[in-house]
Amino acid sequence: MNKFWNLIPKVQPSANIGVRFFYSDADYTALNLAAGGIMAMHSDMKFLKFTKSATTHYTNAEVDPGGGQPAVTAGTAFYLGWTNTDGVEAGADPINQAQFDVTSFSGGGGGASLTNPLPISVNYLTGNKQGTNHNLNWKVTCTSSPSATMVLERSANNRTFTSITSITADAIRCAQPFNYTDASPLAGLNYYRLRITDAYGKVTYSNTIAMVNKQTGIDIVGIAPNPVTSGGVAILNVASAQKGLVRIVITDVTGRQLMVQTEAIIAGSNQLPLNVAKLAAGSYQVTAITDDGKSTSVRFIKQ
């Protein structure tokens, strides 16, 4: 059972400092049981084991002074102290403690029972067409988890998704890109997304992309964000059956043409940038037109 966190100080220490962790008896017992009787911390961690005597006094002794993995019987009381020189007895200090020294926060860390690890993040999810095949490619960052299960899901309506493949990877494999070929896509639009579950059960979803399974044609899947914020930057999601050039035309509610731009697109999923910062607040329509005259439109609001 390994969980990790990052410590980010306001200033770097100029000399060795101690990082102290606090545990209740219940916290430690639960962690010790889950770890199968082995309490494994940072390699420089100092441990203190306090033993209650018949006269209710406590004596302490440092366990494995260089760090390591002191073995502890599951479920027994095991008190973690600061050092064996700070003079604090377990009887006077009900919160158990553990400490390690650091000189820099560039990469040090420790493992413990962190209840809210950072979620896995999705660097990208993209797709392109080769004939009738839909090739999906993605990359994730899962340094907060020792493993991850990635389920690639597909939908015909962007509401009901079903799994088409599942991959479980350890942290080393997780650092590399992944790919999958959907050799039997649905007719028409296919929506794809990733559902990722880390080693602790936390679920993360990727963005959703769309690809069109037909010989020709183009579909605007959506614009995000919508409404477009006052900054005026948005992404137009376009699914195209073939590569080429597409003309993007923005009109107002009267049909008056306000903006035109041309973008190169691939056969697959395209994310085209739009900068509508100069538009006044209101309702607009964006239309994508291919070289052969096929078009698709969607409305959006500019705040």
Side-chain angles (χ1 to χ4, degrees):
M1 180 179 178
N2 297 309
K3 295 193 178 184
F4 304 90
W5 63 90
N6 290 325
L7 301 176
I8 304 175
K10 291 183 178 179
V11 295
Q12 287 287 351
S14 58
N16 283 10
I17 65 171
V19 178
R20 184 182 297 195
F21 297 85
F22 298 87
Y23 302 86
S24 69
D25 285 353
D27 289 336
Y28 180 78
T29 299
L31 178 59
N32 191 37
L33 287 169
I38 297 294
M39 180 65 175
M41 300 292 285
H42 187 277
S43 60
D44 295 327
M45 187 73 76
K46 298 294 194 299
F47 296 87
L48 283 183
K49 183 176 183 179
F50 293 86
T51 304
K52 186 176 180 180
S53 70
T55 57
T56 71
H57 293 293
Y58 289 84
T59 59
N60 59 12
E62 189 171 339
V63 178
D64 193 5
Q69 299 180 347
V72 182
T73 302
T76 61
F78 181 70
Y79 297 89
L80 300 179
W82 179 238
T83 68
N84 60 357
T85 59
D86 78 345
V88 178
E89 291 186 350
D93 188 1
I95 300 298
N96 309 313
Q97 305 164 33
Q99 173 249 332
F100 63 87
D101 296 328
V102 295
T103 57
S104 171
F105 283 86
S106 61
S113 56
L114 186 66
T115 57
N116 293 300
L118 295 173
I120 293 175
S121 60
V122 180
N123 299 75
Y124 60 80
L125 170 63
T126 61
N128 64 79
K129 284 172 57 70
Q130 285 187 330
T132 59
N133 291 341
H134 289 182
N135 299 322
L136 289 305
N137 304 275
W138 66 91
K139 176 75 170 59
V140 300
T141 298
C142 57
T143 53
S144 61
S145 176
S147 64
T149 298
M150 291 157 279
V151 178
L152 181 63
E153 299 181 328
R154 184 181 64 193
S155 172
N157 56 16
N158 202 21
R159 293 187 300 275
T160 304
F161 284 83
T162 58
S163 169
I164 58 174
T165 191
S166 178
I167 300 173
T168 298
D170 61 20
I172 296 176
R173 175 63 185 91
C174 214
Q176 305 301 317
F178 295 85
N179 60 78
Y180 176 78
T181 297
D182 184 3
S184 302
L186 305 171
L189 273 177
N190 289 252
Y191 297 88
Y192 298 95
R193 73 181 184 186
L194 290 169
R195 176 169 53 85
I196 307 171
T197 305
D198 68 13
Y200 317 111
K202 186 182 291 294
V203 176
T204 302
Y205 286 92
S206 73
N207 59 302
T208 299
I209 65 171
M211 299 177 67
V212 59
N213 181 23
K214 52 187 179 181
Q215 295 299 314
T216 62
I218 189 172
D219 283 280
I220 293 181
V221 181
I223 183 171
N226 191 9
V228 182
T229 59
S230 57
V233 178
I235 298 295
L236 188 68
N237 295 300
V238 175
S240 177
Q242 70 282 328
K243 68 177 182 179
L245 296 177
V246 64
R247 191 159 58 101
I248 307 297
V249 179
I250 296 178
T251 55
D252 62 15
V253 292
T254 67
R256 183 167 55 106
Q257 184 173 296
L258 302 175
M259 286 180 55
V260 178
Q261 66 186 62
T262 300
E263 300 284 348
I265 57 174
I266 65 169
S269 176
N270 299 266
Q271 287 73 48
L272 307 179
L274 292 179
N275 190 335
V276 295
K278 294 183 179 180
L279 297 181
S283 179
Y284 299 90
Q285 177 172 285
V286 57
T287 302
I289 308 170
T290 62
D291 289 338
D292 57 4
K294 291 182 171 59
S295 65
T296 179
S297 299
V298 69
R299 289 193 172 274
F300 70 94
I301 295 173
K302 166 72 186 308
Q303 290 182 338

